[in-house]
Amino acid sequence: MDAPSNSLIPNKLNIQAIRAVYIAAFLVLAFKTYDYYHPNFGYTVLPQFGAYNHEQSTELLKSTPHYTLRDSHGYDGQYYAQLALEPTATGEEIENALDNHTYRARRILFSWTAYALGMGDPYWSLQAYSIQNALFWFLTGLLLLRWLPPNCWQNAIRFIACFFTAGLVYSFNYALLDGPSLFLILAGAALIESKRPWLGSCVLGLAGLGKETNLLAIAALWKPAATKSKQTLVFCLQALIATLPFALWHGYLLSTSNASNLDPLGNGNFHLPLVGWFTSALQILKAAGEYGFSSEMLVQYILLATFLAQGIYLIARPKPNRVWWRIGVIFAILMLILGPAVWEGLKAVPRVVLPLTIAFNLLFSRKRIFLPILIALNSATFVGISSLHIPIAAERFEIVGRSDLAFDSEKGSYSNIKLGEGWYRMVGGPDLYRIWSSGDSVLTYRNPGDLPIRASIHFYTKTISARTLILELNGNQAWQTSLPVSYSAPYSIPITLVPGENTLRLHSPEPTDRAPDDLRELSFQLFNYKMELIEQVSDNP
């Protein structure tokens, strides 16, 4: 056997460096969690509430401040977040609000935890749901120390590979269930390894209420070395304990639900072995033929190979006496039968097979010669780290009327109004949105045509104290009014936009105010502001 590399010898200096890596990982999580906080929306940017689903949402959600993605259907986290406001998951309103009531509502656990953390208050329950992934991510890191303590570089590499794998990052970025689910699977595995399988069964039972696929981890309860007849009986009893909470809750939902939008397995989630994998590979190849082979497509192919290789390794190297092999191999089998809907875009698969990724890193060979392979087969970690970016909460200034006049034929896109200096963040939904000014605020708009456009600016205002509001267009005063305290009547201000760049300046000469519990300097607030394009004019004003 080759002598160990000096870089892998756990001397005192190395141990300190290794511990620093672990501490840095937790600090990155803490700082990223802080960075993701939005001053107006808190963490509700993460569940990705879509504007197209706003009307069918519950009235409680509509009345609770949250960020809504404009011109979007949103993502799955928005449905589980709504359940945090409706913890019984029953009633016509919540059934109509969810895209697939039984499918979403049976995954109730982490909506309940958010409701509990928020103490039933709608605002805090929504915030708790949106950010609880960070809490479970931190706890997952602590549990991983059981198997990967900071005492050698092999452990450090595997810890980072698990801690920042794409599945955990995606779960955090979109406020989904997979990260919290992994924590419960880890907790169950730790209890089973500690010879407390009955308690482990109870924890896995909780995990089943988070996601039904978590119940696959029941495989960890099987003990191959035990007497066959006795083991079968014990395993069946433990499996019954683990599945009972899900069975009871699911039965309750089926008996009380009147929803017609039911698809118990999820559309396209499962298929014959490897059909989903090959479909995804062919879709990427087709896109490459149409648009060229991009670096993103290369990353997708690498991820396809990574997850398949991890699964093949566990299947080909059986270790039935190891708890994590029994968990990993069952999730490897799950990976093989995942349908095209799960493989599409390679965003869902890293989350679904998180237990496979953990099992692979805990069981893969520790020989130094295989270290490059270990790193290569953790490509999802590099993707995860690169995906830790702060979500952008886009501002809103709607163009209505002759929106075709905003089309830029040279760029093949529509020209949009840009919010410049002096504005705070927009808040609200598609029906009621608003934005505060600090007193001197700028809007810019590029008229893509060759002729001036007759247009109109529409809004109404709110102020803390009476003040003057002035609108300047390209340096010339276009409008002035005296704003009353509180809300104003709607304003419609006619303007003419010259070809090319236009600068609109809204400002108030009076000193700014402060609202209770708000440290910002506030001048005036615009509500439901939009610009109406009316027609092109042949002569400049």
Side-chain angles (χ1 to χ4, degrees), residues 459-504:
F459 58 83
Y460 66 96
T461 66
K462 177 185 178 182
T463 62
I464 299 172
S465 61
R467 60 181 55 252
T468 303
L469 181 60
I470 301 168
L471 171 64
E472 293 181 4
L473 175 61
N474 298 325
N476 299 312
Q477 183 171 317
W479 176 80
Q480 177 176 324
T481 192
S482 297
L483 299 179
V485 179
S486 192
Y487 296 95
S488 73
Y491 296 110
S492 294
I493 309 166
I495 58 174
T496 300
L497 301 168
V498 300
E501 294 294 333
N502 291 265
T503 300
L504 295 88

Side-chain angles (χ1 to χ4, degrees), residues 404-415 446 448-450:
D404 58 294
L405 297 177
F407 185 72
D408 188 337
S409 58
E410 293 183 1
K411 296 183 178 180
S413 61
Y414 286 87
S415 182
R446 181 178 179 274
D450 297 326

Side-chain angles (χ1 to χ4, degrees), residues 284-415:
I284 298 169
L285 189 62
K286 180 182 177 182
E290 293 178 356
Y291 308 108
F293 196 82
S294 65
S295 58
E296 182 181 356
M297 294 174 184
L298 175 61
V299 169
Q300 290 178 331
Y301 268 123
I302 291 173
L303 287 177
L304 282 172
T306 291
F307 294 122
L308 186 61
Q310 288 182 358
I312 289 173
Y313 176 84
L314 290 179
I315 293 171
R317 298 292 299 271
K319 299 178 182 179
N321 290 322
R322 301 284 295 273
V323 166
W324 271 107
W325 181 84
R326 301 197 292 272
I327 294 174
V329 77
I330 198 70
F331 276 89
I333 295 170
L334 171 66
M335 176 200 65
L336 296 178
I337 62 171
L338 291 175
V342 184
W343 284 99
E344 184 179 6
L346 276 297
K347 294 292 185 182
V349 167
R351 298 185 283 104
V352 175
V353 300
L354 270 171
L356 165 63
T357 298
I358 301 299
F360 172 79
N361 279 284
L362 295 183
L363 299 176
F364 188 75
S365 173
R366 287 180 170 261
K367 293 181 180 179
R368 284 179 297 132
I369 193 173
F370 294 126
L371 191 58
I373 298 176
L374 172 70
I375 295 172
L377 293 184
N378 275 294
S379 61
T381 301
F382 298 100
V383 174
I385 293 172
S386 66
S387 300
L388 274 171
H389 49 75
I390 301 171
I392 303 236
E395 304 298 356
R396 179 191 185 101
F397 207 115
E398 189 171 6
I399 294 178
V400 297
R402 290 282 308 280
S403 58
D404 58 294
L405 297 177
F407 185 72
D408 188 337
S409 58
E410 293 183 1
K411 296 183 178 180
S413 61
Y414 286 87
S415 182

Side-chain angles (χ1 to χ4, degrees), residues 43-44 47 49 64 77-88 107-136 175-177 180 209-210:
Y43 289 104
T44 62
F49 296 95
T64 304
Q78 65 183 317
Y79 303 117
Y80 305 117
Q82 278 196 82
L83 285 167
L85 306 182
E86 306 283 348
T88 62
R107 301 173 166 190
I108 194 66
L109 178 65
F110 300 112
S111 299
W112 283 347
T113 58
Y115 182 83
L117 288 169
M119 295 181 290
D121 178 80
Y123 175 81
W124 290 112
S125 295
L126 206 57
Q127 293 292 337
Y129 176 81
S130 302
I131 196 53
Q132 67 179 346
N133 256 273
L135 172 62
F136 283 105
L176 297 168
L177 311 175
L209 289 173

